[in-house]
Structure formats: structure tokens, C-alpha cells
Amino acid sequence: MNLENFKHLSDFDDILITDEKGMILFYDLADLKVLSEMGVRPEEFMGKHITSFYKNLTNQNSTIMNVLKNGKAICNVKQELVTKNGNLLVSVNSTYPIEENDKIIGAIEFSKHFYTKEDIHSLNNFACHKVFRKNNTIYTIDNIITVNANMETVKNRIRKIAKTDSTVLIFGQTGTGKEMVAQSIHNESDRFGGPFISLNCGAIPPNLLESTLFGTVKGSFTGAVDMPGLFEQADGGTLFLDEINSLDYYLQVKLLKAIEEKMIRRIGGNKNITVNIRVISATNEDPDTLVAEKKLREDLYYRLGVVQIDLPRLNERKEDIAVLLKNFIDFYNTHMDLFIKGVEPEVLECFKKYHWPGNIRELKNAVETAYNNALTDMITIEDIPKRIREYQGTTKMVQRETKIQSLKDAVENYEKEIIAKELKRTNGKLTEAAKGLGISKQLLRYKLDKYQLS
């Protein structure tokens, strides 16, 4: 073997050695997640034939088997390999014969695995992508699975607004995918190489939020150390603030100033620090209602919501349940020691009738529950959570016996009727109608659009 041929091998991450028949004798992988993509545990890899792990790898197209047959090195060959789990791995290999007494006794292969956006089929695949792993994200726009027209519109908006640095406010109930949308915006933008820093404002005690966001200077208070806040950590990237309405009014003022000036000052500090960030925020409550109820400053709302994305609830996009189910089944087939073909028809029917208060997150958890209960390769009605399978019968009984609306629908219909009457009384004068209803003119406009009264 000519050592000149090995000068480029520092570019490779992985090493694999086989005997003369292609049976694996040794391997050293830089990232063991390559094995998880293949659906193989480390101890199961040894002693197996090199072609046994991939659907599309044969003795004819395998670089190792060709080297063993011809005795000639093959360098820098790109291969697209489909694992038994259906995952796509892209690798670049350099393979060399191992000779003893002029006889080929094995082969050694140096390789590097790649994960491109086009190859992402599941959360685990994406999380393994080195670029995106470094920027603290696990989602791209490809992870937003939908056939719903409203969600397709959302995806198109993401692609468009990613080209700007405008602030974005995402409104959606818990479990509708607000962080997935925020990460998608970041990864579609030119900032994808910078950090994505995420904070759930409702999960941090109020007395710690200010130092968490803006950082501290040593000695500014007992126990304080020099520590950059999230604004500084997100420099060059995106700062995502979830449950923005959890911030108290004082901190909302400081946040507004930081966003406007793109400049912060650490607690106890005496110098301003310039930051280059994009701010994306989210709330699970109606922003107009938050403003009307004085939970969100109006000026901050306008600053945060230069672009607003409203995410529909899962029960407003029930045509997506089937495609989301397939996606989650593919995901858990890769991650759990069980292979499921699909769901029984009555399960899908039950899922479509359920109201999904936890939205997509609840659907994913329901599928995971089914995997833990399943006794066959199909998910049955007995495998899904009890609250979901029993909801179907309850719904049928209520509709048959009483025809009662849901509480939410009843309240919305009543509200719509009151607003219509007040508009009629004031001859369509919004200011007068808003005053009569005891709400802001801005909130009235929102409700007019919501109920299509304008």
C-alpha cells in the first residue's frame, strides 16, 4: 500500500475493517448515531457482512466487496445508502485492500457520513446534522408536516419572512408547534450559521428573568459574577422568547428598549453592549386579548408583532392527522424496538373525532403510548390512551341525545351575536361599538375579522 494515498485520510471520521469475505472485524465511528440510523446496536455490528445493513447495498456496488475482488483501492467515492429502517445515509469512502504474502486478506475503509437538508426524514436524522446541531436547533421547515391549506400558507410565509430580520410573533395553543416554526424561520434565514437561543419566559422565576436575559457584572449583587445574558449569547443569530406574556411590565419596557436599540446593558454594568439578533416571540394566548387585559404592553406588542403568524389548532386541520400519524410511526419505528405498519381504520376514525386539547404534541404522545401497548404490528383501538377512545362514544351520545355545542363554540356564538347587535345599534361605528362593549377598538377589529362580521 502506497502511503501517498493516505494523505487525505485526515478528512475522514470513521474506520471499518473486514476480512476477505466482507465480514466486519473492526470499526471506529466518530459518531455512534450512525449506528442508530442503521437500526443497529454497537455489539450487533461486529461479525456481520458489510452488505447486511442496507437495503440497496450488494456485492456488486459495495466499495469494500469490489476492493476485495479486484485488489485495487477506490478513493473518494460517494454512496447513498438506505438502511433497513428506511433512513438515507450519504457517505464518502476511501477503501484499500489489506494484503499479506501477495494475498488479499481483508479491506480497510475510511468514511465520512453527511446529512443534507434533502436527506432529513425524521427528528433524529436532523439532530445529527452537524451544522444545525451546532446552532442549537433540531427542526427545519421540512419537519412541518401538513396537507392543510392554512398550514401550507404558514410554510410559505416562513420562507418569505426568513429573508428579513423583522420581529415575529407566533400565536398558537400549547402543542401547535410554535418552537418548530421559530427554528424553521432561523434555519431558512441567512442567520442559520448563528446560534438559536430559546427561553420559556414562564419557566424562569420573575426575579431571575432580567439577569437571564441581560447578564450580570461581578459584584453587582451578592454572588453575582460576570455572565453574558441570552441577548449576548444569541449575537449573530436568533433569540426565541416563548410565553412572552409572562414578563412583568417593568421587564417588558426594558425588553422593548433592547429590541429597538439592539443594545443591552448587563445588570450592574456601566457600558452598553451592541447585539446583532433577530427576536422571535410566542404566546399561547390571543395577543389582542393580552393587550386589552393589560398583560402585554401595547407598544411592545407592536414591536414584537411586525410579522404575526397564527397557528391553527389540530382540530382545525384534521386532514393532517393521517400524515402526522405516518410521520410519527416512521419516527418511533426508528427509535423503539418495535415495527408498526400502521393503525386500524377505527383508530384513525377515533383520532379524527377527538378534540385534541394538547394538539400535535398530544397526538405524538398518543402514538408513543400505543407503541408501549401494541401486541401486533398494527395499532388497535385498545392501544391508544383511554381518554381518546372513550371520547368517541361520549361525543356520539351527546350529539344523538342533546345536540349540545361545545362550551367554546357556544361562547363564541354568543359573543358573535352580541357584537353584531352592538354594531347594528351604533350603525357600524367602531369606536362607539367598542365603548359599548367595554373593549378596545383594536380588539373589536380583531373579533370582527375572526367572526367575519366586517
Side-chain angles (χ1 to χ4, degrees):
M1 297 169 65
N2 188 346
L3 292 179
E4 289 295 315
N5 293 333
F6 289 86
K7 286 184 176 181
H8 69 293
L9 294 183
S10 60
D11 295 334
F12 293 101
D13 295 330
D14 310 322
I15 301 173
L16 186 143
I17 300 175
T18 72
D19 65 14
E20 72 280 6
K21 295 180 180 179
M23 307 298 288
I24 297 170
L25 300 175
F26 172 84
Y27 71 95
D28 184 8
L29 303 181
D31 189 349
L32 284 180
K33 288 184 179 179
V34 172
L35 289 183
S36 69
E37 293 295 326
M38 297 164 61
V40 180
R41 292 186 56 78
E43 61 268 25
E44 298 170 344
F45 200 58
M46 296 290 291
K48 298 292 180 63
H49 196 273
I50 188 62
T51 61
S52 64
F53 300 103
Y54 304 100
K55 291 181 178 180
N56 63 333
L57 193 64
T58 65
N59 287 342
Q60 287 69 43
N61 62 17
S62 164
T63 50
I64 284 183
M65 296 310 295
N66 273 283
V67 165
L68 290 173
K69 180 180 179 181
N70 301 320
K72 296 180 180 179
I74 300 175
C75 298
N76 291 314
V77 173
K78 177 182 176 182
Q79 285 190 301
E80 295 186 353
L81 304 171
V82 179
T83 71
K84 297 296 185 182
N85 291 330
N87 292 325
L88 179 65
L89 296 180
V90 179
S91 68
V92 174
N93 313 320
S94 284
T95 313
Y96 303 87
I98 300 174
E99 299 178 62
E100 184 179 62
N101 299 324
D102 296 325
K103 180 183 178 182
I104 296 175
I105 62 170
I108 181 169
E109 182 166 271
F110 302 87
S111 63
K112 188 179 187 71
H113 289 86
F114 296 89
Y115 304 86
T116 65
K117 283 188 176 181
E118 291 73 24
D119 299 328
I120 296 166
H121 297 300
S122 70
L123 172 63
N124 190 62
N125 290 356
F126 182 47
C128 287
H129 193 300
K130 290 187 176 181
V131 172
F132 295 108
R133 188 171 60 218
K134 289 179 179 178
N135 74 10
N136 302 322
T137 66
I138 55 176
Y139 301 115
T140 69
I141 197 168
D142 296 326
N143 293 107
I144 302 176
I145 308 297
T146 186
V147 293
N148 175 267
N150 289 336
M151 281 305 297
E152 288 293 352
T153 299
V154 167
K155 292 179 73 170
N156 289 334
R157 290 195 72 199
I158 288 172
R159 294 184 182 97
K160 184 174 182 180
I161 65 180
K163 295 178 171 62
T164 75
D165 272 342
S166 298
T167 56
V168 180
L169 177 61
I170 305 169
F171 166 46
Q173 289 187 353
T174 299
T176 51
K178 296 186 290 294
E179 178 137 0
M180 181 179 288
V181 169
Q183 291 188 17
S184 297
I185 294 170
H186 178 76
N187 284 327
E188 285 290 304
S189 76
D190 292 339
R191 292 179 174 271
F192 77 90
F196 179 90
I197 303 297
S198 176
L199 174 70
N200 185 327
C201 299
I204 305 294
N207 60 319
L208 295 179
L209 263 174
E210 185 175 5
S211 60
T212 299
L213 286 170
F214 302 107
T216 56
V217 170
K218 185 177 181 179
S220 56
F221 56 86
T222 304
V225 296
D226 286 324
M227 180 188 72
L230 297 187
F231 267 85
E232 288 180 71
Q233 294 176 40
D235 190 40
T238 300
L239 176 61
F240 175 56
L241 302 175
D242 198 3
E243 293 192 27
I244 192 69
N245 50 294
S246 298
L247 297 177
D248 64 35
Y249 248 46
Y250 159 72
L251 205 49
Q252 289 186 28
V253 173
K254 193 165 183 179
L255 177 63
L256 174 62
K257 187 173 187 293
I259 295 172
E260 289 279 7
E261 299 178 356
K262 294 189 180 297
M263 191 177 295
I264 59 100
R265 181 178 293 185
R266 293 185 185 180
I267 296 176
N270 56 13
K271 68 175 183 177
N272 292 329
I273 301 171
T274 302
V275 289
N276 170 24
I277 64 171
R278 181 181 199 167
V279 174
I280 300 177
S281 55
T283 175
N284 58 11
E285 296 184 62
D286 176 8
D288 288 294
T289 302
L290 291 172
V291 171
E293 295 177 351
K294 306 296 183 184
K295 294 180 181 178
L296 181 65
R297 287 181 60 95
E298 194 169 4
D299 50 3
L300 178 60
Y301 171 43
Y302 295 145
R303 191 72 208 62
L304 292 175
V306 171
V307 177
Q308 182 169 323
I309 295 178
D310 295 342
L311 297 181
R313 304 186 299 272
L314 181 56
N315 65 7
E316 295 173 327
R317 46 182 287 209
K318 288 196 172 182
E319 65 269 41
D320 278 344
I321 289 177
V323 292
L324 287 168
L325 273 175
K326 182 181 183 305
N327 182 64
F328 294 146
I329 287 172
D330 289 343
F331 176 85
Y332 286 118
N333 278 344
T334 302
H335 287 74
M336 300 184 77
D337 189 21
L338 184 66
F339 179 81
I340 295 291
K341 290 180 180 178
V343 302
E344 296 287 354
E346 62 178 335
V347 173
L348 181 57
E349 187 67 19
C350 183
F351 279 177
K352 287 183 176 179
K353 291 182 178 179
Y354 184 60
H355 63 309
W356 297 109
N359 294 290
I360 298 171
R361 183 180 296 137
E362 185 182 7
L363 175 61
K364 183 179 180 182
N365 291 340
V367 175
E368 184 174 356
T369 296
Y371 266 74
N372 282 278
N373 293 333
L375 298 176
T376 69
D377 60 3
M378 293 292 289
I379 293 174
T380 70
I381 197 73
E382 295 301 318
D383 297 329
I384 66 177
K386 182 178 179 182
R387 69 181 183 280
I388 298 176
R389 66 173 182 263
E390 290 189 350
Y391 180 85
Q392 182 184 28
T394 303
T395 303
K396 282 182 176 179
M397 180 180 67
V398 169
Q399 289 176 344
R400 182 174 61 251
E401 295 179 0
T402 64
K403 304 285 186 183
I404 292 176
Q405 295 176 300
S406 71
L407 178 60
K408 179 180 180 298
D409 289 341
V411 170
E412 288 186 347
N413 286 335
Y414 184 55
E415 183 178 59
K416 180 179 178 180
E417 183 180 338
I418 292 175
I419 292 173
K421 287 181 179 178
E422 188 64 18
L423 280 174
K424 184 177 180 180
R425 185 187 71 80
T426 60
N427 294 319
K429 296 177 182 177
L430 295 189
T431 302
E432 190 176 338
K435 186 176 180 181
L437 292 166
I439 61 177
S440 68
K441 187 177 177 181
Q442 178 189 16
L443 181 53
L444 177 58
R445 281 203 183 100
Y446 168 78
K447 292 184 181 296
L448 290 176
D449 290 339
K450 178 180 178 182
Y451 298 129
Q452 297 181 344
L453 292 172
S454 56

